[in-house]
Amino acid sequence: VAAAVQTAVLLAEHTAGGMAMATLVTMAALTIGQGLVAVGRERSTGGLLIAIRRRTSQPATIAVLACTAVGLTVRLITFRGIWLDEATSIRQARMHFAGMIGNLYQTDVHPPLYFALLWTTVRVFHSYSEFVLRVPSVVCGTAIIPVTYFAARDLFDRRTAIVATVLSVFAPLMVWYSQEIRMYAQFMLLGLLAMWGQVMAYRTGRRPYWAVWAVSSGLLAWTEYFGLLQVLSQQLMFLWVLWKDRWTDGFQRLMRKWLGWSLVMATIILPVMPFAYHQFIVNQQAGKGFHLAPSQAGTATLGIRNRYGVYALLANLIWAGWGYQPNATMTELGALWPLGMLMALLLLGRRPGRNVGLLAMGFAGPVLILTGLAYFKHFLLDVRYVSGAVPLVVLAAARLITATSRRMLPVAAVTTVVTASLAVALVNEQTNSSNPRHYAFHSALTRIVGAYRPGDVIAYAPSDIGGVVRYYAPTEDVVQVSRAAPPPMGHQHEVFVVLSRRLTSPAALSSFYKEQLPAIERAGFVLEKFSVPNVKVWEVEVTRRMGPGNVPTPVPRRPAGVR
């Protein structure tokens, strides 16, 4: 396990300090583990270590630990760099804490819990490398794997738990957000904990499960405001359960516990509500609230962009299961919708247990509520906003697989096929350059920085990618290309123009190609032009500046061999 984790970290990390820290942490963990094993061998009589050894020697525990190690390795191997939303997270994490909270309060639309965690992480590691910035998401995304096992075991049985654990290792959307410098991995973990706690609180009545449900539900609102959809859905589930049990002996006891722990949950949620209300008012007054944000641009759904309807909903369901795929793949997967009818026939006559019903309601509730809201604001129909319910899809899929047969061989065969499809989808999601959510800013800007010399200028369009450009190219000569502010020409040797067509509005794109780019090219000649996924770059060597009266004035050429 240590060797696998160390290898993944070294592949993901690009700085000497990060590699040294990764080596130190891995070797410390390995040393502690070996020490525990040695002490456990010396103490042959009872005690905590003997209990740990006995528990960890069970096949199920070994399987869960192995799946967690593989899942961590998969999540550490990243094939993409940061993009717009992540650049925003990095910019805020660089501020002092009060300034970051103030920036969120005045300009953002997200609650502060994840950003406080990210702020703490970068100061503990004293680094802003991509590896360190992804640590909170990787930790939360990896923690989902063992939590999935315990939730499936307690809700169903051990066999379902093993299947669910294997599926969660390669679930593409869960891996994707475990690598992103945003709050969605934390959102998924808390959503799974809230559902597990609720079902177990109802089944056992034990106080720890009530606490898990109340605290996790409260923290959902502090992580992502759309987490309140899951909170509302689970409250409706409790009302349904109370109605079903209204004539039983335990009704009053269940009612008292539900009301009491709901009060605890409300106490956690209420302090963030004024924060959220102020964010909403400020953004509405600034004219940038509740609209199509840049992060939604380019999210094609079965070949239909920014539409509302059954195919948009179907695309989001496919994303929940098989992650973000190229448009052609999405169209092919969407054409398989009749398989859903066959699945319905397969399930005909089967009565799901209460846990299955609660699980289905936990996923369907937020989706249906969000779909209703998306009728008025179409961009809200995005799987990210209900990603807290994605692990519930994995639990439901595992239960469906184990319910097909009581024999081990058919279940193992179906599990292998489904896991293989998830693994293929994961690889395609991570590496296919046609993925509409894959922006190769890292490779483009790394190439630019390799050719950059003092005095050159890096120009970018649109304005939203400025944070990404400045992260990978931390130089002073970085400017935005716009009609009002074209890049300065003639005072430098070369100009690197970085453009993301998918993120640029049609009007701004037309202006760039008709006005800005010709002006840049008239000032010199194009040395190189290349494209990477969703990013296009021009390298122009400036040979003249436009003086008074538009009279061209020569600019001294860079000495030969400088590049």
Side-chain angles (χ1 to χ4, degrees):
V1 171
V5 172
Q6 174 72 355
T7 301
V9 170
L10 293 179
L11 289 174
E13 186 52 65
H14 303 290
T15 64
M19 291 184 178
M21 178 62 70
T23 302
L24 179 63
V25 171
T26 303
M27 294 307 298
L30 185 60
T31 303
I32 293 172
Q34 292 291 339
L36 290 175
V37 171
V39 172
R41 287 173 178 168
E42 291 295 328
R43 298 181 58 180
S44 58
T45 56
L48 178 61
L49 290 177
I50 299 300
I52 293 174
R53 288 184 61 193
R54 185 180 300 113
R55 181 61 64 97
T56 55
S57 63
Q58 297 178 1
T61 305
I62 295 174
V64 173
L65 291 175
C67 287
T68 303
V70 174
L72 175 60
T73 304
V74 169
R75 283 153 177 78
L76 288 175
I77 301 176
T78 309
F79 291 94
R80 67 186 193 278
I82 66 170
W83 89 298
L84 275 65
D85 292 352
E86 296 174 289
T88 301
S89 300
I90 297 170
R91 177 178 59 83
Q92 292 165 337
R94 290 181 183 274
M95 304 175 182
H96 59 83
F97 190 78
M100 180 189 70
I101 298 299
N103 183 266
L104 289 169
Y105 190 63
Q106 296 293 344
T107 66
D108 213 308
V109 292
H110 294 96
L113 180 59
Y114 168 79
F115 299 95
L117 180 61
L118 180 63
W119 186 92
T120 303
T121 301
V122 297
R123 278 151 184 82
V124 168
F125 285 91
H126 300 285
S127 172
Y128 289 93
S129 68
E130 290 184 56
F131 171 73
V132 171
L133 290 163
R134 288 191 171 102
V135 164
S137 295
V138 170
V139 170
C140 291
T142 305
I144 291 176
I145 298 172
V147 173
T148 297
Y149 171 80
F150 292 117
R153 185 196 63 182
D154 292 340
L155 268 61
F156 304 112
D157 51 51
R158 197 179 301 273
R159 186 171 67 158
T160 303
I162 294 295
V163 174
T165 305
V166 172
L167 297 182
S168 65
V169 171
F170 300 102
L173 198 71
M174 293 168 63
V175 174
W176 182 274
Y177 285 123
S178 296
Q179 300 170 330
E180 189 164 284
I181 311 171
R182 297 295 280 178
M183 70 292 298
Y184 299 111
Q186 182 176 321
F187 187 18
M188 291 182 186
L189 177 60
L190 291 172
L192 179 59
L193 286 171
M195 175 58 64
W196 176 32
Q198 180 187 28
V199 175
M200 293 305 296
Y202 167 72
R203 283 180 53 184
T204 67
R206 295 176 59 187
R207 186 175 299 175
Y209 290 117
W210 283 103
V212 168
W213 166 69
V215 174
S216 299
S217 298
L219 294 180
L220 276 173
W222 282 84
T223 300
E224 170 60 71
Y225 293 130
F226 285 101
L228 290 171
L229 300 182
Q230 184 167 341
V231 173
L232 175 61
S233 177
Q234 291 190 249
Q235 290 292 72
L236 294 175
M237 290 160 59
F238 261 126
L239 291 175
W240 175 72
V241 169
L242 288 168
W243 174 258
K244 297 280 288 185
D245 295 349
R246 64 189 183 279
W247 303 117
T248 61
D249 295 336
F251 171 75
Q252 292 185 355
R253 183 171 64 254
L254 180 62
M255 173 71 79
R256 287 195 301 268
K257 288 186 176 181
W258 171 60
L259 291 176
W261 286 102
S262 293
L263 182 61
V264 173
M265 179 183 65
T267 304
I268 298 174
I269 293 176
L270 286 178
V272 81
M273 289 296 98
F275 194 92
Y277 179 73
H278 180 81
Q279 287 178 319
F280 177 77
I281 295 299
V282 168
N283 280 274
Q284 287 293 106
Q285 291 175 348
K288 57 181 181 179
F290 218 59
H291 71 300
L292 183 60
S295 57
Q296 275 78 54
T299 55
T301 55
L302 302 182
I304 304 176
R305 292 185 59 185
N306 302 326
R307 298 288 182 88
Y308 176 84
V310 64
Y311 279 100
L313 179 61
L314 180 60
N316 280 275
L317 293 176
I318 295 174
W319 287 339
W322 284 275
Y324 299 123
Q325 303 296 329
N327 294 340
T329 305
M330 290 294 298
T331 303
E332 294 171 356
L333 291 174
L336 298 177
W337 67 265
L339 290 177
M341 300 173 63
L342 297 179
M343 186 64 67
L345 292 175
L346 177 65
L347 298 176
L348 193 63
R350 296 175 180 265
R351 177 175 297 180
R354 176 166 291 188
N355 290 343
V356 176
L358 292 175
L359 203 62
M361 292 173 62
F363 174 75
V367 171
L368 292 176
I369 296 173
L370 189 69
T371 303
L373 294 174
Y375 179 79
F376 304 98
K377 297 291 182 179
H378 294 177
F379 74 91
L380 289 178
L381 193 58
D382 193 310
V383 70
R384 290 178 301 169
Y385 303 137
V386 289
S387 56
V390 169
L392 307 185
V393 177
V394 174
L395 292 180
R399 184 56 179 170
L400 181 62
I401 291 173
T402 57
T404 56
S405 175
R406 295 183 179 181
R407 299 170 58 188
M408 183 63 68
L409 186 59
V411 171
V414 175
T415 302
T416 302
V417 171
V418 174
T419 304
S421 72
L422 294 178
V424 171
L426 173 61
V427 173
N428 195 52
E429 175 190 63
Q430 295 280 336
T431 61
N432 196 320
S433 60
S434 299
N435 184 343
R437 298 210 180 192
H438 181 63
Y439 291 80
F441 292 113
H442 176 267
S443 60
L445 290 166
T446 300
R447 189 166 170 179
I448 290 174
V449 170
Y452 178 87
R453 295 296 181 270
D456 294 344
V457 168
I458 301 175
Y460 62 87
S463 61
D464 300 302
I465 70 173
V468 182
V469 175
R470 288 183 171 87
Y471 178 78
Y472 286 118
T475 66
E476 296 181 358
D477 298 318
V478 175
V479 299
Q480 176 190 347
V481 177
S482 68
R483 182 177 300 181
M489 304 299 297
H491 298 282
Q492 60 286 319
H493 292 291
E494 291 182 8
V495 174
F496 301 89
V497 182
V498 184
L499 175 71
S500 178
R501 298 182 60 180
R502 188 178 288 275
L503 297 175
T504 306
S505 67
L509 195 63
S510 176
S511 173
F512 173 80
Y513 277 107
K514 291 181 179 179
E515 301 174 18
Q516 302 299 324
L517 186 58
I520 293 171
E521 292 178 337
R522 282 196 299 271
F525 62 92
V526 178
L527 288 177
E528 188 177 11
K529 180 169 62 176
F530 65 90
S531 298
V532 293
N534 289 321
V535 181
K536 197 167 186 177
V537 176
W538 291 263
E539 181 182 356
V540 180
E541 183 174 5
V542 178
T543 58
R544 58 180 178 173
R545 68 170 63 96
M546 302 307 291
N550 289 327
V551 177
T553 304
V555 174
R557 295 287 300 276
R558 169 174 289 168
V562 169
R563 295 189 67 232

